[in-house]
């Protein structure tokens, strides 16, 4: 089956190795197989915070990361939500297809509200899944690479597509989730790896910065290194990071370290990460802000062209 892929990120800070193994590497593979749209979800930054932060700087850094890992703007359409007003026009009919109770009991929305930095929950937070539905359906997206935590959002999109088709006639495909097969990496402090928590190895970090971060990573007091996700999660996480970078099983790496302890584990992980990221960091330096602006302008133009066609179809189907 021919697919159209929609994926993307909120520009809230630099991307890290969790993003790389969780989604970026997969996007690079998909761009050679299917038409792919990569969304810079800038409007979504303000769903859970009062201010967007250094939004233009973050967008530039995000695109530099995309180019560094191998996303090719000749193959993928990279665009900003805020540059395609038709996406927000699609949101209005989509909102009429879901109930307030369906939105309020969405588990991902509940989690985002719990971790929101806003003093009060905005109405935009509740429309977040419908926002995403417009992002996916404007290009007739059929394949959406997501993590498990995003499945409830995608289910809202699927519901909207089905209900629109039932009420007004078939316009939209019902998209499918594409779950990654990579394990979820923890942050170096044992918590969720996050751009905002300072516990992640960013793709743009220097080798010295990477080494300093890994030196501070939590482990445990046992000298013998073993791969035990349940009982030694922080040791297991470092082994998994090294494993993904080296393409070798984590248990095999643990056996090699043996009684070398945490210091040997951290040395191995540091070398593995720096060796792996070296070509990515080199490619990043080959691009500049002027090139990023040109890529985004062209991507915005192509995305808006596609969105206008879809919006016209929606208006016609609804009788406007």
């Amino acid at each position: 089956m021919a697919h159209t892929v929609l994926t993307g990120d909120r520009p809230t800070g630099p991307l890290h190795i969790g993003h790389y193994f969780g989604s970026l590497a997969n996007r690079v593979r998909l761009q050679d197989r299917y038409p792919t749209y990569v969304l810079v979800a800038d409007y979504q930054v303000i769903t859970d915070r009062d201010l967007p932060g250094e939004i233009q700087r973050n967008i530039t850094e995000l695109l530099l990361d995309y180019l560094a890992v191998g996303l090719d703007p000749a193959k993928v359409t990279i665009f900003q939500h805020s540059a395609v007003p038709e996406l927000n026009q699609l949101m209005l009919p989509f909102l009429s297809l879901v109930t307030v109770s369906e939105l309020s009991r969405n588990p991902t929305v509940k989690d985002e509200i719990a971790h929101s930095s806003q003093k009060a929950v905005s109405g935009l937070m509740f429309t977040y899944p419908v926002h995403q539905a417009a992002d996916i359906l404007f290009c007739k997206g059929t394949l959406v690479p997501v993590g498990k935590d995003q499945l409830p959002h995608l289910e809202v999109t699927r519901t909207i597509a089905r209900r629109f088709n039932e009420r007004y006639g078939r316009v939209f495909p019902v998209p499918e989730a594409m779950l990654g097969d990579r394990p979820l990496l923890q942050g170096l402090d044992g918590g969720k790896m996050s751009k905002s928590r300072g516990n992640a190895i960013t793709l743009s970090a220097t080798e010295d910065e990477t080494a300093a971060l890994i030196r501070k990573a939590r482990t445990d007091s046992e000298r013998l290194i073993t791969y035990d996700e349940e009982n030694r999660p922080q040791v297991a996480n470092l082994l998994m990071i090294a494993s993904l970078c080296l393409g070798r099983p984590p248990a095999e790496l643990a056996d090699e370290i043996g009684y070398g302890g945490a210091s040997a584990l951290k040395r191995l992980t540091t070398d593995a990460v720096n060796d792996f990221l070296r070509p990515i960091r080199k490619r990043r330096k080959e691009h500049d802000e002027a090139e990023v602006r040109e890529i985004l302008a062209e991507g915005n133009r192509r995305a808006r062209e596609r969105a206008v066609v879809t919006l016209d179809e929606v208006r016609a189907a609804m009788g406007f």
Side-chain angles (χ1 to χ4, degrees), residues 27-260:
R27 293 179 200 178
V28 173
R29 289 191 291 270
L30 287 170
Q31 72 180 351
D32 292 320
R33 298 179 61 191
Y34 305 120
T36 299
Y37 289 81
V38 180
L39 166 71
V40 178
D42 50 357
Y43 270 166
Q44 291 180 11
V45 169
I46 56 173
T47 55
D48 60 352
R49 57 198 70 203
D50 296 317
L51 297 169
E54 297 181 1
I55 190 74
Q56 291 304 325
R57 166 52 48 191
N58 287 342
I59 289 170
T60 298
E61 294 297 317
L62 183 61
L63 262 79
L64 288 172
D65 283 337
Y66 285 165
L67 297 172
V69 300
L71 282 177
D72 183 349
K75 297 176 182 177
V76 302
T77 299
I78 304 173
F79 69 101
Q80 285 170 267
H81 184 116
S82 63
V84 186
E86 290 76 14
L87 295 179
N88 298 319
Q89 289 178 271
L90 282 173
M91 233 179 53
L92 287 175
F94 286 178
L95 278 166
S96 74
L97 297 168
V98 289
T99 66
V100 172
S101 61
E102 284 174 324
L103 294 176
S104 62
R105 67 172 178 257
N106 182 301
T108 307
V109 169
K110 286 182 178 178
D111 183 66
E112 284 162 354
I113 288 172
H115 292 91
S116 170
S117 63
Q118 289 180 316
K119 295 173 183 175
V121 178
S122 70
L124 189 61
M125 177 69 85
F126 284 98
T127 69
Y128 191 22
V130 186
H131 216 165
Q132 287 195 334
D135 296 335
I136 294 166
L137 295 176
F138 94 94
C139 63
K140 306 289 181 73
T142 58
L143 196 61
V144 186
V146 292
K148 286 184 179 179
D149 62 327
Q150 289 292 309
L151 284 176
H153 278 345
L154 184 60
E155 195 51 46
V156 173
T157 301
R158 289 166 55 82
T159 297
I160 287 170
R162 283 193 295 263
R163 289 177 182 172
F164 189 96
N165 293 342
E166 289 164 3
R167 187 175 297 184
Y168 301 112
R170 183 168 177 79
V171 171
F172 296 110
V174 178
E176 302 170 15
M178 182 181 187
L179 287 171
D181 57 358
R182 296 296 190 184
L184 184 67
L185 293 177
Q186 291 179 338
L188 297 175
D189 59 359
K192 179 182 177 182
M193 188 175 286
S194 167
K195 288 181 281 191
S196 60
R197 297 181 187 179
N199 64 357
I201 302 163
T202 63
L203 303 181
S204 55
T206 67
E207 296 199 5
D208 287 344
E209 287 168 343
T210 298
L213 276 168
I214 294 173
R215 272 198 304 272
K216 292 189 292 185
R218 292 181 182 175
T219 52
D220 58 37
S221 58
E222 288 188 42
R223 186 79 180 166
L224 177 64
I225 298 300
T226 58
Y227 182 66
D228 184 342
E229 291 179 88
E230 185 175 345
N231 297 309
R232 306 183 71 186
Q234 292 160 342
V235 168
N237 192 51
L238 286 178
L239 286 167
M240 181 54 68
I241 291 170
S243 165
L244 291 169
C245 291
L246 294 170
R248 294 175 57 194
E252 184 180 295
L253 297 177
D255 290 342
E256 281 188 14
I257 297 168
Y259 284 95

Side-chain angles (χ1 to χ4, degrees), residues 296-317:
L296 204 49
E298 174 59 18
N300 290 340
R301 184 193 66 77
R302 296 205 305 254
R304 191 165 188 198
E305 231 173 53
R306 185 71 186 86
V308 166
V309 171
T310 301
L311 185 59
D312 285 346
E313 288 180 52
V314 165
R315 285 173 170 156

